[in-house]
Amino acid sequence: MTGGPATPVACDLVIRGASQVCVIPPDGGGLLAADPSQLGIVGGGALAMRGGRVVWAGPESLADRALGPEPDATVIDASGCIVVPGLVDPHTHLPFGGWRAHEYSMRLGGASYLEILAAGGGILSTVAATAAATDQELLAAGRGILDEMLAGGTTTVEAKSGYGLELEAELRLLRLAGELGRTHAARVVPTFLGAHAVPPLYRGNADGYVEVVLEEMLPAVKRFALAEFCDIFCEPGAFTVEQSRRVLTRARALGFGVKMHADEMSQSGGAELAAELGAVSADHLLFASEAGAQAMARSGTIGVLLPITVLSLLGDEVDAGHCRRQARMLRAQGVKLALGTDCNPGTAPSASIQLAIALAGRIFGLPPVEAMLGATRHAAQAVGLGGQVGTLVPGARADAAIFGVPSYEDIAYRLGGNLVRWVIKDGRVVHCPGGPPAAGERLVS
Ligand SMILES: [Zn+2]
């Protein structure tokens, strides 16, 4: 934040008169996460951008003097609204073929997980539906979901492969994720998750599949530069800690950042391994141990909580009291927490990070301040973009979401709707009621 400099700051997009601008400065100061000052709130604030970067954030009362908008600058009157950094969804399974509504009906009809699997459901049904879909169909479905995410304020989306489970199919999904990123307004960060499940061909021989991931898939993903991160589903029934260590150690040696699905359904040492390998994130963590949490806090590994998924598991696999105690433990150990949708056709058929924020309080007891940090600063760190997105400090990417509410607390409090008015990505208005603005247009809420 700057005061009123002598020379007006040139800008091509200005947001004026917001009730709050949440600047969310990068880490520092050793403040408690629950301290609202962590959000760097400017009450009665304005924000200016130029050339796709934030150039100024400060009080509305200084904006006239401080800013020199270019003649065709877009001006947004954000009275009664708040401005936050474009939200970051650090855990999704885009792209995939088809939803699984029928399976959900079966579950509510009393079918067990094994009965659903026997009826051809579960992750392998998505692998089959993804294989059966054309590239154009997968791109269209992916764009539809990204449209929904963008309209809900999400400007950066991590996207995992993992519904291929063989070399060409995994490379195809990563190429499609890359194509989505190049052609959609949302920023897409691709992650290789070849070790998402053991495919039928390798049933009882997970080590054999791990060899394929190590010797064929990882080198090819590297050669074609298709992913920034490598992830693995470390869980009994999927991949062991030892198999995860092999895959992620190789990935790291090849220059990938590493992430993990860790300790989701049982305590298997996933959090400890994530910390040992310096993973950017360990995700789910419902059963992570206290020692694992301590290690994560020391290594700076972000803990990604996925409350929408938990909502699907509540009652059967986990109970609400456990989730709350677990989140309290992670916070007490100093783990920095992020939030994601986990958007996937099985446990989390949702594109709404606003829903994840609202559920984070109800399910994990996360205060609104921490939920906001979880969808901005910490989520950005979980996809390796800390300081560049998830913040509105001058110099950051000009990604912002303007919500039609008076305070950031309302985003955590309100449940189930879309509170967003405008979304800006790289300094361009990408979501606007009534269509994109003309040059120099003044947008009013
Ligand atoms: Zn996942």
Side-chain angles (χ1 to χ4, degrees):
M1 263 170 287
T2 51
T7 316
V9 175
C11 47
D12 53 28
L13 193 151
V14 200
I15 303 165
R16 299 289 302 261
S19 51
Q20 294 179 339
V21 175
C22 297
V23 175
I24 312 197
D27 272 335
L31 298 166
L32 288 173
D35 183 339
S37 66
Q38 286 270 322
L39 299 181
I41 297 170
V42 185
L47 183 76
M49 303 167 167
R50 184 163 191 262
R53 299 276 168 181
V54 175
V55 291
W56 189 91
E60 170 64 28
S61 57
L62 296 180
D64 276 336
R65 215 150 31 95
L67 300 177
E70 291 163 1
D72 59 353
T74 303
V75 180
I76 298 178
D77 175 353
S79 320
C81 296
I82 66 162
V83 186
V84 304
L87 302 177
V88 178
D89 190 339
H91 187 135
T92 87
H93 290 263
L94 287 178
F96 52 81
W99 298 97
R100 305 201 314 244
H102 178 61
E103 220 172 273
Y104 179 64
S105 299
M106 283 178 72
R107 261 185 81 153
L108 295 183
S112 72
Y113 179 67
L114 286 178
E115 284 165 340
I116 290 170
L117 276 187
I123 176 175
L124 295 178
S125 75
T126 296
V127 172
T130 303
T134 65
D135 287 0
Q136 292 317 313
E137 286 166 344
L138 291 177
L139 287 171
R143 285 189 188 115
I145 293 170
L146 288 176
D147 286 348
E148 204 182 326
M149 289 177 164
L150 196 71
T154 304
T155 48
T156 299
V157 180
E158 188 256 13
K160 302 178 195 295
S161 68
Y163 291 118
L165 304 183
E166 54 98 8
L167 176 64
E168 285 307 324
E170 285 293 312
L171 297 180
R172 175 192 185 218
L173 289 176
L174 290 172
R175 287 196 178 100
L176 293 174
E179 173 81 8
L180 285 172
R182 284 187 295 277
T183 55
H184 196 275
R187 181 179 297 105
V188 174
V189 180
T191 293
F192 168 60
L193 178 60
H196 188 193
V198 180
L201 198 60
Y202 290 88
R203 192 159 290 148
N205 180 21
D207 277 328
Y209 183 61
V210 165
E211 286 305 313
V212 175
V213 171
L214 287 173
E215 303 304 330
E216 295 178 24
M217 294 186 185
L218 270 172
V221 174
K222 170 73 182 171
R223 184 174 339 118
F224 299 116
L226 294 176
E228 294 181 30
F229 295 96
C230 177
D231 192 347
I232 189 164
F233 191 16
C234 177
E235 194 76 36
F239 299 94
T240 64
V241 165
E242 218 20 73
Q243 288 161 343
S244 302
R245 181 182 280 110
R246 288 187 68 203
V247 169
L248 296 179
T249 302
R250 180 75 59 87
R252 218 174 44 167
L254 289 171
F256 295 101
V258 299
K259 302 168 82 71
M260 281 179 73
H261 284 63
D263 300 321
E264 179 182 7
M265 315 292 264
S266 61
Q267 193 177 107
S268 63
E272 286 87 340
L273 179 64
E276 175 193 320
L277 296 175
V280 286
S281 78
D283 303 28
H284 290 292
L285 299 176
L286 294 181
F287 293 90
S289 71
E290 210 165 305
Q294 276 171 14
M296 282 178 61
R298 277 197 303 271
S299 65
T301 299
I302 301 287
V304 179
L305 299 181
L306 303 163
I308 297 171
T309 313
V310 173
L311 197 62
S312 295
L313 303 176
L314 272 187
D316 298 329
E317 284 88 354
V318 286
D319 76 77
H322 170 79
C323 292
R324 210 164 259 246
R325 286 191 298 277
Q326 183 68 358
R328 199 178 303 133
M329 183 279 284
L330 292 167
R331 292 165 64 208
Q333 295 303 333
V335 177
K336 291 192 286 183
L337 297 175
L339 297 171
T341 59
D342 197 13
C343 181
N344 78 76
T347 49
S350 174
S352 176
I353 197 76
Q354 290 178 60
L355 182 61
I357 291 170
L359 290 178
R362 275 106 179 154
I363 291 177
F364 290 117
L366 221 58
V369 171
E370 292 182 45
M372 280 310 298
L373 291 174
T376 54
R377 180 206 289 166
H378 296 164
Q381 291 170 352
V383 296
L385 292 173
Q388 300 178 57
V389 302
T391 173
L392 293 172
V393 289
R397 304 293 283 260
D399 299 354
I402 302 172
F403 285 79
V405 293
S407 163
Y408 72 91
E409 290 173 306
D410 290 87
I411 302 175
Y413 161 62
R414 299 273 292 271
L415 194 57
N418 183 7
L419 303 167
V420 162
R421 293 279 171 80
W422 296 281
V423 180
I424 296 149
K425 154 85 187 330
D426 284 329
R428 212 162 51 82
V429 180
V430 290
H431 172 76
C432 179
E441 192 175 345
R442 187 177 179 91
L443 305 172
V444 182
S445 57

